[in-house]
Amino acid sequence: MLFDPVKFIEEVKPQLEQIVDGKAVAAVSGGVDSTTAAALAYRLLGNKVIPIMIDTGFLRENEAEKVKAMVSDLMPLQVVNVSEKFLSELEGKDDAEEKRKKFRELFYNTLSELVKKYQAKYLIQGTIAADWVETQGGIKTQHNVLVQLGIDTEKTWGFKVVEPLADLYKNEVRDLARYLGLPREIYNRQPFPGPGLLVRVVGGVSREKLEIVRKATSIVEKYLEQEDYSQYFAVIFDSHSNYDPEISKEVGCDVYTYTAKATGVKGDVRAYGRIAKVDCDYKDYERLRRVMEKVTSSDITHVVTKVADGYNEGKYSIGIRAVLTQDFMTADFAKIDWGLLGKISNEILSISKNIKEVVYDITTKPPATIEFE
Ligand code: XMP
């Protein structure tokens, strides 16, 4: 059925109007969902709503300033910088779920302080259907899913959560954003996860990895924003890997498995398994797809293929990910032109001598997730 924004706003209005008896902080991450939720609330309730963007230190380059400028006609967005606190608390943590949980704790503690500061009673956030479906399914701890997990937000943080978009899917959120008059840069923006670059600094968190992946992300975005992909970004992980003779024999290509782990979805449940690299002597995406399918039948969640060699002593691998999807619940990898991938990789290699290689992720969702953690 076609999504009707007018009808939707009528339906969701009573939920937002419960805020008449108090103020609300609207958490904006810079992604389509939270920006749309905040814009909708601000349109309906005016300055009862205080839109805030928390700079966690895990944002993309100049992201806070960019988002503030993009929405300046729609709402007065404030940026609160707490990056030092987040970085010092997350540095050294390496388990994906532990990182997400810590991020969530820091994030909501910060919001709790802001809610108190503004004497607000509510927190508006942009949780959408896919977020809580996957969190309840145990696939991952989506940072913004609280109520659906039985967390009493009033008791824990002192605010009630309002989620006007909770029943919508991504394409419907985009339609709503367009209807609300949000700039094209927002509704056409690729999604960006709440925990930001934290889930793309795969494994142990360090300031060096974060700075490299931030720069690599800008490069990937610069080259791929012209293409019609649903989401595209860079990840960084430990380059250490071992040759696996058994899988190599089975698939007829050299296969290496990394010590770094990444998340996937297998049989509707979350998997946390190894990342593998395949080195085949052909560059045919459909043949590589068949190899990927075989390789992921074990505990492997993401399969990458080498695009460019960097520095021999380099500690890090940079992964490029680009996917095509309708609803972000399933996704296909994009068949990016190999020449373009080469160009992107060359620029990425100029970031740091600690980059050993640049690889491209050729895994569908399932068995991989779109993000690596
Ligand atoms: P996965 O990696 O689960 O991602 O296949 C599906 C979509 O969700 C985004 N994502 C998040 N968005 N908070 C968000 O707001 C999160 O914690 C989060 N984790 C993943 C991801 O970027 C993709 O678009």
Side-chain angles (χ1 to χ4, degrees):
M1 221 175 56
L2 220 59
F3 174 70
D4 178 352
V6 180
K7 199 162 152 242
F8 171 76
I9 295 174
E10 276 311 308
E11 279 165 13
V12 90
K13 221 171 168 180
Q15 193 197 351
L16 281 163
E17 280 172 350
Q18 58 168 317
I19 296 173
V20 280
D21 65 328
K23 286 194 213 159
V25 165
V28 174
S29 75
V32 195
D33 309 340
S34 62
T35 313
T36 305
L40 173 66
Y42 194 78
R43 154 127 10 151
L44 293 176
L45 303 169
N47 53 17
K48 281 206 176 81
V49 176
I50 305 148
I52 294 182
M53 182 162 182
I54 298 180
D55 185 347
T56 60
F58 291 94
L59 296 176
R60 289 169 288 190
E61 249 164 0
N62 305 323
E63 174 127 44
E65 300 87 85
K66 274 193 210 153
V67 173
K68 195 172 168 177
M70 278 190 242
V71 301
S72 63
D73 287 345
L74 295 163
M75 53 183 161
L77 183 65
Q78 292 182 46
V79 177
V80 176
N81 190 325
V82 285
S83 51
E84 211 23 69
K85 167 128 186 98
F86 273 61
L87 282 168
S88 58
E89 297 257 356
L90 285 157
E91 225 172 350
K93 298 224 173 333
D94 60 17
D95 177 79
E97 268 300 280
E98 203 190 314
K99 282 160 70 180
R100 277 182 172 272
K101 285 192 174 134
K102 187 72 197 170
F103 184 95
R104 186 170 73 181
E105 182 193 316
L106 291 165
F107 191 79
Y108 285 102
N109 285 346
T110 309
L111 281 171
S112 177
E113 283 165 23
L114 290 166
V115 161
K116 272 194 208 109
K117 179 175 160 195
Y118 289 104
Q119 294 169 326
K121 287 188 185 164
Y122 299 89
L123 175 72
I124 297 166
Q125 51 175 22
T127 318
I128 65 168
D131 300 343
W132 56 266
V133 169
E134 295 202 334
T135 300
Q136 280 179 333
I139 292 166
K140 63 167 178 260
T141 303
Q142 181 94 7
H143 88 288
N144 54 356
V145 174
L146 311 165
V147 183
Q148 293 87 346
L149 288 180
I151 297 175
D152 182 342
T153 60
E154 241 178 323
K155 211 163 124 195
T156 321
W157 294 294
F159 52 73
K160 275 192 198 150
V161 170
V162 180
E163 295 173 326
L165 314 183
D167 292 327
L168 300 189
Y169 282 86
K170 202 69 159 200
N171 46 342
E172 298 171 326
V173 178
R174 286 217 169 87
D175 288 348
L176 176 64
R178 203 175 300 128
Y179 175 81
L180 290 171
L182 267 88
R184 198 187 153 75
E185 296 148 280
I186 295 275
Y187 66 75
N188 260 356
R189 235 173 164 220
Q190 57 162 331
F192 186 62
L197 298 177
L198 176 67
V199 297
R200 298 176 182 172
V201 173
V202 182
V205 180
S206 75
R207 288 171 200 250
E208 185 192 19
K209 281 169 83 179
L210 175 61
E211 284 324 310
I212 294 177
V213 85
R214 205 189 314 269
K215 290 194 180 124
T217 301
S218 293
I219 295 169
V220 170
E221 290 190 346
K222 180 178 79 183
Y223 281 98
L224 296 187
E225 72 194 348
Q226 307 307 328
E227 311 289 323
D228 241 354
Y229 304 143
S230 314
Q231 204 169 359
Y232 42 94
F233 53 87
V235 297
I236 184 166
F237 54 90
D238 195 329
S239 63
H240 184 261
S241 70
N242 290 310
Y243 179 68
D244 189 317
E246 256 171 59
I247 313 181
S248 299
K249 196 166 158 217
E250 194 192 325
V251 300
C253 301
D254 286 344
V255 180
Y256 302 81
T257 55
Y258 294 92
T259 33
K261 288 166 98 179
T263 53
V265 212
K266 291 191 179 178
D268 281 345
V269 290
R270 179 180 188 275
Y272 191 34
R274 289 175 298 165
I275 304 170
K277 175 173 69 186
V278 297
D279 194 358
C280 305
D281 54 13
Y282 45 83
K283 286 199 176 318
D284 171 338
Y285 280 118
E286 284 315 313
R287 281 179 79 186
L288 287 169
R289 179 193 299 280
R290 290 193 285 277
V291 172
M292 174 274 291
E293 281 163 358
K294 277 192 196 150
V295 173
T296 51
S297 63
S298 62
D299 72 321
I300 286 156
T301 52
H302 283 250
V303 180
V304 298
T305 185
K306 179 138 38 122
V307 183
D309 277 314
Y311 303 89
N312 246 337
E313 303 304 310
K315 291 188 280 186
Y316 308 124
S317 298
I318 300 293
I320 299 172
R321 178 96 162 123
V323 297
L324 289 158
T325 171
Q326 286 296 325
D327 59 5
F328 295 84
M329 306 280 276
T330 61
D332 197 4
F333 61 84
K335 295 177 187 172
I336 306 188
D337 175 78
W338 293 100
L340 179 57
L341 272 177
K343 245 194 202 165
I344 301 173
S345 304
N346 280 343
E347 202 166 322
I348 288 176
L349 289 176
S350 69
I351 301 173
S352 162
K353 295 227 167 4
N354 263 333
I355 303 175
K356 186 171 182 182
E357 58 180 0
V358 180
V359 297
Y360 183 58
D361 189 333
I362 50 161
T363 337
T364 49
K365 174 183 181 180
T369 41
I370 294 174
E371 304 288 348
F372 271 53
E373 290 194 339

